[in-house]
Amino acid sequence: MASEVIHDPTMNRYELLVDGVQAGIADYQLRDDTIIFVHTEVDPKFRGQGRGGELARGALNLLRAESEARVVPQCEFIERFITDNPEYRDLLSR
């Protein structure tokens, strides 16, 4: 199954697509130079396959490439992902 993470700034979200089907979302709020992740969800059909981590990794990689914004993880999933993956901690204090 081919997957990709895309950014939809009109909806303030990152989306995980699996074979072109939306498998997960990471919603955020934008405040000045801060991206506040407020909710992450993976469709039940795709749970238990590591898709949440794939979504978080892809969203944070895109954010790093597209912006100098700092990240505030209000969403527990994104917060735990950053805690477990220290290579993303620099995004908290940029």
Side-chain angles (χ1 to χ4, degrees), residues 41-66:
E41 184 174 338
V42 173
D43 185 298
K45 294 183 292 196
F46 295 97
R47 290 185 187 156
Q49 303 172 27
R51 299 296 186 176
E54 187 177 349
L55 172 58
R57 183 180 285 19
L60 295 171
N61 285 342
L62 283 173
L63 190 146
R64 181 178 275 148
E66 297 173 343

Side-chain angles (χ1 to χ4, degrees), residues 29 31 35-39 72-79:
Q29 297 173 352
R31 293 202 187 125
I35 301 262
I36 303 165
F37 281 97
V38 294
H39 179 72
V72 173
Q74 283 186 348
C75 165
E76 290 179 27
F77 186 86
I78 297 292
E79 181 178 33

